[in-house]
């Protein structure tokens, strides 16, 4: 087939298709989201779906594997924390049809709450892990991972990073495999029922499996030595391989495609020929520490940071204390784009009122996390997906009755269905008194407007059952459940204020679709304008933090607010804030 150019995520999807995958499941999370979206769009032969969370997605693919089909699960790095429970036992059961888990790390925290290195999970769970260095390896390693999964009776992890997932390079598509066994029921409880008696036996199998894979990988082409000149050697993997080749073009390179288990004999042979040996890897010294434990002296994190992404410049600066000149220097000044909610975002008014009510807000993961940014400044904690409600319960337990009234948990609709519902069950069960606000914008906004069980649509856009959030809250015991349009500022404030006083659990669902909703649910309205004769320069409208409202210090005698009509969506929230009637609606004509 002709070569083409694909992103890493497009190539992962292609590799899954070539490998004969029948089932793929995921919860969206940057930078992994596009893998499932590409499968759904380009490879309809694969049953692909969004799951409510990563644990469920892995369990779905485990079931498909037990049925004899090849199955793919994808998630971002923090998703593995959610899926860790089934992952660790899956390592013991092994597979029937091949099972591959692609996990995408996010060095530099472009869109994550931490920088965890997923290679530790592979070692912790005792499963092998491949790590591609470009899009072609993303395709090839995904396909290879399914073969290894079935050959060694193990789930296989494939690690990506933001640069691999979102960069594009040449890919050589191959013909899909043929002749795979048809899925069927096959009883094997000694292998698949992990009671202690069975699990003890399988633990020995797991340890023997890792030893066999380490020996096997020493002779496989994905772990290769690239001969150089001189006495300097580099051990590297993933995108760091590209940086090592650019900074040390003359060095000998041991490129690892399988980063767990390590090919220790190959490493010893390679190290013996090098006087100076570097390990160049992103994030933690995962390879470096294991090489040191083998008694081999190396340089690694003594020269390179464990924090953030690497780049050719950062590698050169760490190894040689010198900078690599930039290949391109921008000559135009780009406009500043600080993180902010979109114009017309339905969450803005909620956080504006929470600020005015001086609520102590336990937050969650989503677009609305931006509510902590000034001038809204209305979020006090944010830990992980679904944590806001549990955090609210915990902090309420230790406060005085008066301070307890200030605690409000906020959580998005997708995040609530991900893992927030468990916190609400606990809140009711254990008699907490905090208020919960579910910010329902009818999509998984932050990762690119994906559907979820509350939208009524599946990954492929087919109509599906829509979870009734009000009914769900009532079904777990919440007696006070209210819905409101967050564009109504006064009504929103009055409802939140009233429920904060209530010494019981209450849930407020603020419901209005995301301004960027892919099904175009938004009613188009003309933009607003500021009447210069009425603007008193009080700056009250600026406290909304709307990017469509600008301050012109040169206008009038004290400065004036202005509207950027190109981005104003006419939500009229600012109109409600202004006490002087300075905002008007532009003539639609």
């Amino acid at each position: 087939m002709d070569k083409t150019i694909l992103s890493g995520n497009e190539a992962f999807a292609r590799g899954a298709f070539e490998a004969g995958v029948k089932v793929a499941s995921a919860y969206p999370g940057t930078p992994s989201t596009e893998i499932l979206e590409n499968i759904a769009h380009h490879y309809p032969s694969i049953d692909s779906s969004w799951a409510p969370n990563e644990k469920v997605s892995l369990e779905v693919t485990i079931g498909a594997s037990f049925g004899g089909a090849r199955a793919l699960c994808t998630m971002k790095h923090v998703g593995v924390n959610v899926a860790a429970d089934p992952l660790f036992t899956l390592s013991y059961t092994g597979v029937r049809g091949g099972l591959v888990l692609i996990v995408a790390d996010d060095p530099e925290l472009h869109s994550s709450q931490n920088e965890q290195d997923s290679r530790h999970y592979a070692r912790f769970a005792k499963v092998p892990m491949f790590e591609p260095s470009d899009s072609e390896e993303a395709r090839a390693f995904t396909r290879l991972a399914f073969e290894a999964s079935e050959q060694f009776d193990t789930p296989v992890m494939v690690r990506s990073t933001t640069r691999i997932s979102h960069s594009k390079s040449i890919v050589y598509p191959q013909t899909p495999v043929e002749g795979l066994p048809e899925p069927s029921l096959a009883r094997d409880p000694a292998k698949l029922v992990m009671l202690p008696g069975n699990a003890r036996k399988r633990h020995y199998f797991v340890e023997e499996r890792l030893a066999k894979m380490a020996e096997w990988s020493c002779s496989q082409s994905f772990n290769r030595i690239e001969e150089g000149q001189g006495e300097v050697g580099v051990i590297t993997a993933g995108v760091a391989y590209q940086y090592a080749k650019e900074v040390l073009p003359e060095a000998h390179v041991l490129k690892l495609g399988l980063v767990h288990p390590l090919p220790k004999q190959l490493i010893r042979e390679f190290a013996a020929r090098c006087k100076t040996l570097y390990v160049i890897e992103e994030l933690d010294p995962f390879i470096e520490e294991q090489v040191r434990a083998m008694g081999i002296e190396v340089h690694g994190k003594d020269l390179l940071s464990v924090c953030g992404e690497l780049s050719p410049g950062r590698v050169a600066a760490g190894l040689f204390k010198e900078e690599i000149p930039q290949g391109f220097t921008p000559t135009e000044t780009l406009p500043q784009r600080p993180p902010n909610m979109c114009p017309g975002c339905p969450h803005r008014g909620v956080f504006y009122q929470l600020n005015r009510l001086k609520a102590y807000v336990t937050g969650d993961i989503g677009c609305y996390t931006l509510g902590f940014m000034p001038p809204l400044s209305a979020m006090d904690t944010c830990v992980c997906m679904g944590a806001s409600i549990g955090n609210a319960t915990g902090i309420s337990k230790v406060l005085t009755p008066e301070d307890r009234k200030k605690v409000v948990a906020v959580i998005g609709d997708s995040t609530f269905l991900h893992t927030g519902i468990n916190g609400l069950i606990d809140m009711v069960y254990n008699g907490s008194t905090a208020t919960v606000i579910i910010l329902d914008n009818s999509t998984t906004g932050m990762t690119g407007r994906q559907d979820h069980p509350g939208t009524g649509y599946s990954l492929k856009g087919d109509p599906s059952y829509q979870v009734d959030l009000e009914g769900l809250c009532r079904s777990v015991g919440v007696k006070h459940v209210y819905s409101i349009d967050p564009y109504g500022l006064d009504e929103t404030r009055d409802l939140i204020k009233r429920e904060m006083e209530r010494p019981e659990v209450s849930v407020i669902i603020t419901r209005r679709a995301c301004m960027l909703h892919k099904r175009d649910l938004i009613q188009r309205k003309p933009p607003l304008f500021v009447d210069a004769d009425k603007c008193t320069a009080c700056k009250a409208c600026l406290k909304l933090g709307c990017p469509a409202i600008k301050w012109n210090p040169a206008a009038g005698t004290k400065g004036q607010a202005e509207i950027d009509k190109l981005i104003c969506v006419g939500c009229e929230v600012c109109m409600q804030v202004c006490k002087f009637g300075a905002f008007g609606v532009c003539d639609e004509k």
Side-chain angles (χ1 to χ4, degrees), residues 48 61 75 81 94 108 113 195 205 303 330 344 371 384 408 426 436 452 472:
S48 55
T61 52
M75 59 189 67
N81 304 332
E108 204 74 27
Q113 64 269 42
L195 292 173
F205 168 81
L303 302 174
C384 67
V408 176
D426 176 75
V436 176
H452 59 72
L472 178 60

Side-chain angles (χ1 to χ4, degrees), residues 8 11-12 132-139 164 169-171 238-239 241-242:
F12 284 126
S133 295
D134 56 25
S135 295
E136 169 57 13
E137 286 192 348
R139 179 202 65 78
I164 294 297
S169 59
I170 295 174
V171 171
V239 71
Y241 162 78
Q242 308 289 357

Side-chain angles (χ1 to χ4, degrees), residues 228-234 250-252 271 273-278:
Q229 299 176 1
E231 297 178 322
V232 174
V234 177
E250 304 296 325
H252 305 284
R273 67 171 72 179
C274 303
K275 186 175 182 179
T276 302
L277 189 59
Y278 298 108

Side-chain angles (χ1 to χ4, degrees), residues 534-570:
K534 296 182 178 177
C535 179
T536 63
C538 71
K539 297 184 179 181
C541 56
L542 299 183
K543 294 178 181 178
L544 288 168
C546 178
I549 304 175
K550 298 180 179 179
W551 183 253
N552 182 356
T557 57
K558 300 178 183 177
Q560 288 179 345
E562 295 179 350
I563 295 286
D564 184 342
K565 296 176 183 175
L566 290 177
I567 60 175
C568 176
V569 298

Side-chain angles (χ1 to χ4, degrees), residues 309-327:
E309 289 184 306
L310 293 180
S311 67
R314 288 180 177 178
V315 172
L319 268 55
F320 310 123
K321 311 304 178 189
E322 62 183 39
E323 299 288 342
I324 288 184
Q326 288 189 349

